[in-house]
Each structure stands twice: as C-alpha cells, then as structure tokens.
Amino acid sequence: MVDLKMSIYMTAHAVRDFLKKDELFRRFIDVAKALEVTRVYVENYRDGLLLGDDEVDAMVKRLSGDFELAGGTAIGTWGSGWFSYEDYGFRVACISDDGNKRLIADAMRHLASHFNEVLIDDFWAQWCHSEHDVELFNKMYGLALSRGELMRAIGGGDRRILDLWAGYSASVLFDVSENFVVKPAREVNKGVKVNLKVAEWREDFPHRGLMLSRLAQLFDKVYVGTESREGTEQYGSFLITEYVRAIVGDKLGGVWFDTFNGLYSGSLISPSIYLKQLWFSSLTSVSEIVLFDAYSLTMEDRAKYIDSVKAEEPMLKAMHANQTAGKLGILVPSVQASGVVFDRYIQDYLGMIGVPLRPINVNEIKEGDYVLVTEHLIGTMDILGLARRGVNLVVTSGASELIAEGALGYEGFNLLGLDKDYPIVSPSVDALHLISNNHTYSYTHRRPGAFPVGPILNVVNGKVLVEASNGTGKFPVVYVNEYGRSRVYVVNLTKYAPYLKDYYPELARRIIRDIAFEYIGLRVDPEAAMASNFTLIPYVNRHFVVYNMNEHAVNAAVTVDTSKFSGVSGALLTQGRGSVRGFERVDEGLRIRIRVEGESPVMIKLT
C-alpha cells in the first residue's frame, strides 16, 4: 500500500497575502509542518485574480526545498474583466463564452509555465443556461426552445430534455477542457500533468457535463471532493470516492475537503464532521489528502481543526497501511444518468446503517453478484438482462415504484412478482409496527407512534420477509422473488430515507444488513434496540473497519460466515479506539464481540 500523503492547497489570494505578510506565512509553515504536509498546491487564478509571474515565482522560491510543489487554478470561477457568468450565490464562468475561453487558456498557459503538475479546482463544470448556451443547445439537437421553455422543462424534470442537456453540457465541457485547458497548458510545457478535481455532488454531474469516463481520457488524474456538509450523511465522503474510482480506475489521484459549511453561508463545519471527512477520505485507500485551504488553516478559529487532524494522523496512517483498494459490499453500478429521482443519495443512508457498499464498473458485474438497483438505473441499465444472467438484485423503493408503474413493461411485473392488473396498492402507508416471523417490532422509548413506508405493492409471487401494519392491515415491505437464476430483493423501506436511518424499528436496518451478509459473509449488528450512524467497510485482505459516528460507545456483534472466509477462527484489533471482547461459534460461523468508542473507527483483522 502506498503511504498516505498530506497536502495543502493555497489559493491565489492566499499567495498574495502570504507574500505581503511574513507572520501570516510563518503561521502557514507551522501548520504545514504540524500536519506533516509534503506537498503544496500554489494557485495562480481565482475569482478574476490572475497572479503575476513574479508572485508565483516568489512563492515557489519560499516553499522550495521544504515541500513538493504543484500548481492549482480555479478557472471555473468568474471575476472582474471576465465575460458572461451565472450566479448561484457564487459566480461561475460560462465556459461556452468565447471571451471566457481565451481567459481560461491564458490562465492555463501561465500555470503550466511554472509547474509540471497542476490541479483544477472543482468549479470546473458547465454551469450556465445562458441565451448563448440555449442557442448552441438548439443547434445541436435541431430544437427551437426559448430559454424560458428550457428552464421550465429542466425545472419540471422533463427526462428527455434533461438527457439532451446532459449531452450538450458534456460536449461543451469536454471541448473546452481539451482545447482551452489541456492543449494550451501543453503548448508551453509539453510534459505537464493536468489533473481535474470534481465535487462531492455526484448526482448532478451529468447536468454539469462531468461525464467522468470521457474526461478521464483527457486528464492525467481525477481528484474527488469529500466534503460532507452539515445536514448530509457522512458516508457520502467514502461513497463518492469509490464511485469515481469505479469509473476512472487508476486515474483516481486523491481527495480534497475543507472546513466550510455549505448550508449556512459564512459559518464553519463542526469539528466532528471535519474529522469524519478526514476519516472517510482516508478509508478509501487513496494516496493523497488535500486540505483546503492554506489561508483558512492559519486562522485562530481553525486551530481546533488542526489539532484534531494532528491527533488522528498517526492512527490514520497506520490504518491506511492495512487497506486495499479492493473492498466488499453490495455492488453499486457507477453509472451517470440525468433526471430527477426521489431516492437521491440513498446509498449514503444505507452506508450509515452498516450496509457495506461497493461501487463498481458496470462491465465487471458477474453472475451471483448482488447489485443495488436504484431509480437512476431504470432506463439506464438493462435490469432484466442482469437478472437473466443470474445477477441478484436489491431493489430500492424508488426503483420498485417505477417498475410497478410499468417502466420495464409486463416483464418488470414478473421480475418483482406483482399482479399485472393491479401492481400498486398504495404509494405509502402510515405504519405502527413491523412484523417478521410472527414477531412484532415497534418504536422504543419516547418516539412518535407512526412512520411512513412504501410503496405498497400487490405481491403475488415471492417470500415476504418483513411486513408493515397500520393496525388494521398488514402489507409486504421487504420480500424476495425468484426470477430465473436471480434473487430479487425488494426493499420498500428506502422511500423515506431519514426514517430508515433514525426512526424505523431496528428490524428495518437489520434486514438490509442480512441481505448484504448473504452476499459477502460479514455483518456488524450493534447490541442496541436502535442503531444507526455506524459504517462497515470490509477490505479484500480480511481487514475491516467499523466506524462508530455516534458520540456514545457501541458494543457490537460481528458475524462471519466461515464458508466465505475459510480458516477464520478469531480476530485481532489492529488499530483504533476499541476492543475485541470475545468469540463464540454460531450457526453462521463465528461471532466476534467488539466495542467501538464514540466517534471512532476500529480496524479488525480476521485471523
């Protein structure tokens, strides 16, 4: 395993300020040394500020000898002297604008003349819906939409227009990237490596033109934003990186996150979430973590963030040494599809209840695999073809509802075991409890009595695993249907994802972990009546991480199917704050009892 490298990104404004204020620059050096930083990215352009050659040269001279150096640029940002833009509360440059293209090319030539490797900040995307963009869009597809008509179609979720716009955006972004980013950089520095960083908002990549399989052919490396803002599920920091890896493969370069809160302008993210960004970033097995940004990390209110990273770094790197890029989990096809879906980011919620997920290139799916089928896959992948090949499916609420509405035709009804004349009973019901094997499970301790589940399907084939009851009737919410050589698990507990994570009876979470266990042979169940905010990350080298994101400690039972992990008779805690409390033989194989301290990961090695 390649050692984990820590880097810092220095914005153009920070470069100018550091050159003017020696004390500020010394504080930066102290921070970089405290964090054992080995590389610094020196930015030449942001928000209309293009540094002079003398400024970049002066900063390079100050840093040389102490750090590896690379360049950075935020060419997607707009500033005074630039041309058309779009305003989202932050101004971004319209890359279809010929004037902006010239300025982008100038910034890239300037940067490449100073550095042999450069990184483009994640503002690089096709942001705009300008009149010029609409004109180009209409010309590409032979349409005659006004800008107002286009925006209404996009806002209304018109799948056809969204697909076409994604195609337009991808075409523009690739063309400008090739001819006004990479080409001008290599005109002045033939061997320069041009790397692209993408943001954490993976669901919106297609609309912004970020079709990664194509861009990976153009850029040398792809870096990933792992910011988990307040109000999001932190497992997304892990999932986004694995998702990009599945698409770009060995071109995955590293990750990047910051101290800023994306939901509340001007405020900081909590130190707790900052550490979760750090840990989930490192648990992906990448070789480089880039901290953004140099100036902010010198400020007094960031001292606690620096101290927390410094305290975690030894354990972080020791755990990193035992990781592999290969991981185990229910497979998540890394497809990029446009369109508005109900179950956006559902994978992040599943990861927060201990369900291990493994993003995968669609060409690598094979017979016997278990694949998570979400709304995005309906109409994008051949779902029926997967099942006919003997691939087992785990179908979310959003996907099952589309199929029940006829998205896969009559054969889709057979796939889910539904009545063809009356496939949907109701979009949802308000349940009072869940039922499995004649046992009833309800809320515990000071919680509201009812909770929504759905859709409720009219199941005529299949084995019901979990039912919901509203007090007067019982309805299937998790069941398995046999379709040829495929098992099709329909998990209609994901429609209201926050309820799944924090409010449903524990049975709802455990049944999904049981399905994953059937596939990978490893499961972690906290010994509590209600359990969420913990993650299981299994590596192919028989190491696994349990990350407890709760403030309180968690006692948990790790179950190992010894038919899948042959020769396993015990386990050893290799890193982390916790303990292995004991072992016992069970029907499935081996049960390992562990304790994980609050807001901590532990790494266990099966022996």
Side-chain angles (χ1 to χ4, degrees):
M1 187 71 192
V2 177
D3 291 343
L4 181 64
K5 175 189 296 185
M6 300 293 288
S7 304
I8 290 181
Y9 190 96
M10 184 185 297
T11 66
H13 296 84
V15 172
R16 181 165 284 182
D17 284 343
F18 287 167
L19 289 173
K20 291 178 180 177
K21 303 171 184 176
D22 286 340
E23 182 182 349
L24 190 61
F25 179 72
R26 285 195 296 271
R27 287 212 303 267
F28 163 69
I29 294 298
D30 290 342
V31 167
K33 289 184 176 179
L35 296 179
E36 301 180 17
V37 165
T38 58
R39 172 181 279 194
V40 177
Y41 291 88
V42 179
E43 189 179 75
N44 75 326
Y45 168 81
R46 180 175 292 262
D47 296 332
L49 171 62
L50 180 64
L51 296 177
D53 289 319
D54 57 335
E55 292 174 295
V56 175
D57 287 338
M59 183 54 67
V60 167
K61 185 177 180 180
R62 284 195 176 194
L63 296 172
S64 293
D66 293 323
F67 305 98
E68 298 174 18
L69 296 179
T73 192
I75 49 175
T77 59
W78 182 92
S80 177
W82 283 56
F83 296 86
S84 60
Y85 65 87
E86 200 144 312
D87 197 330
Y88 293 90
F90 51 89
R91 291 180 177 179
V92 283
C94 293
I95 63 172
S96 66
D97 185 297
D98 290 338
N100 285 341
K101 289 177 187 178
R102 290 193 299 271
L103 294 173
I104 289 165
D106 289 344
M108 290 306 301
R109 290 189 191 96
H110 178 260
L111 189 63
S113 69
H114 291 276
F115 301 99
N116 292 322
E117 185 170 1
V118 300
L119 178 61
I120 299 170
D121 181 279
D122 67 14
F123 281 99
W124 188 245
Q126 202 300 98
W127 293 94
C128 294
H129 310 84
S130 67
E131 294 288 358
H132 181 53
D133 285 297
V134 176
E135 179 184 344
L136 294 175
F137 172 74
N138 282 331
K139 183 177 180 180
M140 176 178 283
Y141 294 112
L143 301 175
L145 295 177
S146 68
R147 184 178 184 277
E149 289 170 331
L150 173 71
M151 297 309 293
R152 284 191 292 275
I154 290 173
D158 185 314
R159 182 63 182 264
R160 174 175 172 268
I161 295 300
L162 285 168
D163 285 345
L164 294 178
W165 187 260
Y168 164 74
S169 293
S171 176
V172 171
L173 187 64
F174 186 88
D175 175 69
V176 180
S177 295
E178 181 177 37
N179 295 302
F180 296 90
V181 176
V182 176
K183 183 179 178 181
R186 291 187 176 146
E187 286 173 352
V188 299
N189 185 347
K190 185 176 180 180
V192 67
K193 293 181 179 178
V194 184
N195 303 328
L196 174 67
K197 184 233 170 183
V198 297
E200 76 278 11
W201 28 266
R202 64 183 189 271
E203 295 271 10
D204 296 317
F205 281 0
H207 192 76
R208 303 291 179 212
L210 290 161
M211 301 308 291
L212 298 181
S213 59
R214 194 174 179 200
L215 290 171
Q217 299 170 24
L218 184 61
F219 291 98
D220 291 283
K221 292 287 183 182
V222 178
Y223 284 65
V224 185
T226 54
E227 297 91 344
S228 290
R229 308 303 191 186
E230 303 284 354
T232 66
E233 302 309 319
Q234 285 74 53
Y235 182 79
S237 293
F238 176 84
L239 197 285
I240 176 63
T241 308
E242 295 296 323
Y243 167 83
V244 173
R245 187 202 302 275
I247 298 174
V248 308
D250 292 340
K251 286 207 170 183
L252 178 66
V255 298
W256 158 324
F257 60 88
D258 60 41
T259 59
F260 302 109
N261 187 320
L263 297 183
Y264 305 101
S265 178
S267 65
L268 299 179
I269 206 161
S270 70
S272 172
I273 291 182
Y274 188 70
L275 274 186
K276 291 180 179 71
Q277 291 177 165
L278 173 71
W279 270 110
F280 274 124
S281 295
S282 71
L283 291 171
T284 61
S285 318
V286 294
S287 59
E288 183 181 3
I289 293 177
V290 184
L291 303 176
F292 184 90
D293 72 309
Y295 186 89
S296 67
L297 294 176
T298 64
M299 301 173 71
E300 281 188 27
D301 61 2
R302 304 308 202 279
K304 55 191 173 185
Y305 299 86
I306 301 301
D307 290 342
S308 64
V309 174
K310 184 178 177 181
E312 298 290 279
E313 202 164 356
M315 186 166 66
L316 193 87
K317 290 183 176 180
M319 203 174 287
H320 185 269
N322 288 315
Q323 295 176 29
T324 65
K327 300 172 182 71
L328 303 174
I330 292 177
L331 304 184
V332 177
S334 284
V335 301
Q336 294 194 260
S338 62
V340 178
V341 295
F342 193 89
D343 62 3
R344 280 166 61 92
Y345 299 99
I346 187 61
Q347 301 90 347
D348 298 358
Y349 286 89
L350 293 174
M352 295 292 286
I353 62 172
V355 179
L357 300 175
R358 178 192 164 204
I360 190 172
N361 187 293
V362 295
N363 297 318
E364 298 176 18
I365 298 171
K366 60 186 184 301
E367 181 180 350
D369 283 338
Y370 281 51
V371 170
L372 184 69
V373 177
T374 60
E375 279 182 81
H376 270 315
L377 297 190
I378 307 301
T380 304
M381 288 185 67
D382 182 5
I383 302 302
L384 293 169
L386 285 178
R388 293 184 185 114
R389 288 201 285 124
V391 175
N392 303 302
L393 309 180
V394 182
V395 184
T396 66
S397 295
S400 73
E401 194 160 0
L402 283 181
I403 296 170
E405 289 171 348
L408 298 184
Y410 277 108
E411 196 57 29
F413 300 149
N414 290 332
L415 181 75
L416 300 192
L418 303 181
D419 185 299
K420 292 181 175 62
D421 297 320
Y422 182 43
I424 301 179
V425 176
S426 173
S428 66
V429 297
D430 291 331
L432 295 173
H433 47 262
L434 300 179
I435 303 167
S436 180
N437 293 324
N438 295 318
H439 289 85
T440 298
Y441 301 83
S442 60
Y443 278 150
T444 60
H445 191 61
R446 296 178 60 189
R447 290 177 179 268
F451 48 89
V453 294
I456 304 303
L457 304 181
N458 191 2
V459 179
V460 294
N461 291 311
K463 177 183 178 182
V464 176
L465 303 176
V466 176
E467 294 173 295
S469 173
N470 62 358
T472 58
K474 295 190 295 184
F475 311 95
V477 288
V478 182
Y479 66 94
V480 57
N481 184 45
E482 301 290 333
Y483 181 85
R485 293 176 293 140
S486 171
R487 290 193 194 95
V488 180
Y489 288 94
V490 180
V491 183
N492 286 335
L493 294 169
T494 66
K495 188 170 187 176
Y496 306 99
Y499 281 84
L500 170 63
K501 186 174 84 75
D502 288 320
Y503 294 104
Y504 287 161
E506 181 59 21
L507 171 65
R509 292 173 285 279
R510 193 177 71 234
I511 190 67
I512 307 175
R513 296 196 295 268
D514 286 345
I515 295 169
F517 175 76
E518 187 176 286
Y519 179 40
I520 70 168
L522 190 68
R523 184 180 70 227
V524 176
D525 296 305
E527 297 172 354
M530 299 287 295
S532 65
N533 297 309
F534 75 99
T535 286
L536 170 64
I537 302 174
Y539 301 90
V540 295
N541 62 355
R542 296 195 174 197
H543 287 72
F544 65 90
V545 167
V546 178
Y547 189 179
N548 173 22
M549 287 165 276
N550 298 287
E551 293 183 356
H552 57 270
V554 168
N555 292 328
V558 180
T559 306
V560 183
D561 182 345
T562 50
S563 69
K564 296 182 183 292
F565 292 88
S566 60
V568 169
S569 60
L572 172 68
L573 177 73
T574 61
Q575 298 292 334
R577 289 181 284 270
S579 60
V580 175
R581 298 155 53 218
F583 313 92
E584 60 181 319
R585 288 287 172 181
V586 293
D587 291 341
E588 299 98 326
L590 180 70
R591 181 165 296 153
I592 308 160
R593 299 195 178 277
I594 65 173
R595 179 179 177 84
V596 189
E597 298 303 323
E599 297 194 331
S600 298
V602 296
M603 176 173 273
I604 306 288
K605 178 182 180 181
L606 298 176
T607 59

